[in-house]
Amino acid sequence: AHALVAADPVRSGQWQDIGAVTRRLLAFDEHEVLRDLILAADWKSHDILRNSPLLAQHLYLIDCVDDALDLIDAVSARVASSHPLSYAKANALRYSGRMDEATDEYERCIRLQPDYPYAHWALAYHQKADPPLSRIDRIRKAQATMDAAAPEQAYLHYALFKEYDDAGEI
């Protein structure tokens, strides 16, 4: 927190390092300083817009879900639809217990970026498919879009496992 005070991004308007700074604040359990910094930031700044999915995540991880959703809504009004921002919103909604809204947002994220492995994985573990196995084809399509050795494939494999397991196929 002392280094943050010395840099004073609020006064200087220099937000390019905010993601790294909030990551450190989170690691050192400086929750109040983290929240205050994000809330004091210029949410119209390009650097804040660029880092908004991460900043929203940091907010909901410190139980400031409403602040995270406010940030996401403010940013969403200024930028084109973004799958990382949609994913952050789905996670924040899930974290706050708004499960149906979270499901809808995970689905929106997948519509925005059909091969986004994290959304397929999160949705599979968030809620069972109805009807069972109805998500298998799109997960397999997502797998086909990336190199078989890509680390992100693991998330799609886990999603497939969960879908098959929920259907009693494993």
Side-chain angles (χ1 to χ4, degrees), residues 9-90:
V10 175
R11 185 174 305 161
S12 70
Q14 300 296 313
W15 299 106
Q16 66 270 14
D17 296 325
I18 192 164
V21 170
T22 59
R23 192 176 293 117
R24 279 284 152 214
L25 291 171
L26 186 63
F28 287 111
D29 289 330
E30 292 284 352
H31 297 177
E32 187 175 327
V33 176
L34 185 154
R35 179 182 180 271
D36 291 348
L37 175 64
I38 295 172
L39 295 183
D42 176 5
W43 288 4
K44 295 174 186 172
S45 160
H46 172 74
D47 292 316
I48 299 301
L49 297 175
R50 184 174 43 83
N51 283 287
S52 59
L54 177 67
L55 300 177
Q57 178 191 38
H58 291 173
L59 285 169
Y60 73 71
L61 287 174
I62 62 167
D63 293 325
C64 295
V65 178
D66 290 337
D67 293 326
L69 291 169
D70 288 345
L71 173 63
I72 291 166
D73 289 343
V75 169
S76 294
R78 298 187 58 81
V79 300
S81 294
S82 154
H83 68 279
L85 198 58
S86 177
Y87 181 68
K89 183 174 184 176

Side-chain angles (χ1 to χ4, degrees), residues 8 11-12 14 41 51 56 60 72 90 101 111 121 131 133 137-138 153 168:
D8 196 5
R11 185 174 305 161
S12 70
Q14 300 296 313
N51 283 287
Y60 73 71
I72 291 166
E101 291 174 82
R111 283 191 306 276
W121 167 76
L133 304 177
D137 286 343
R138 72 181 184 188
Q153 283 280 5

Side-chain angles (χ1 to χ4, degrees), residues 74-108:
V75 169
S76 294
R78 298 187 58 81
V79 300
S81 294
S82 154
H83 68 279
L85 198 58
S86 177
Y87 181 68
K89 183 174 184 176
N91 287 333
L93 289 166
R94 180 179 181 187
Y95 196 82
S96 70
R98 295 161 60 181
M99 304 311 241
D100 291 339
E101 291 174 82
T103 300
D104 292 344
E105 196 63 34
Y106 284 125
E107 290 288 353
R108 180 174 178 269

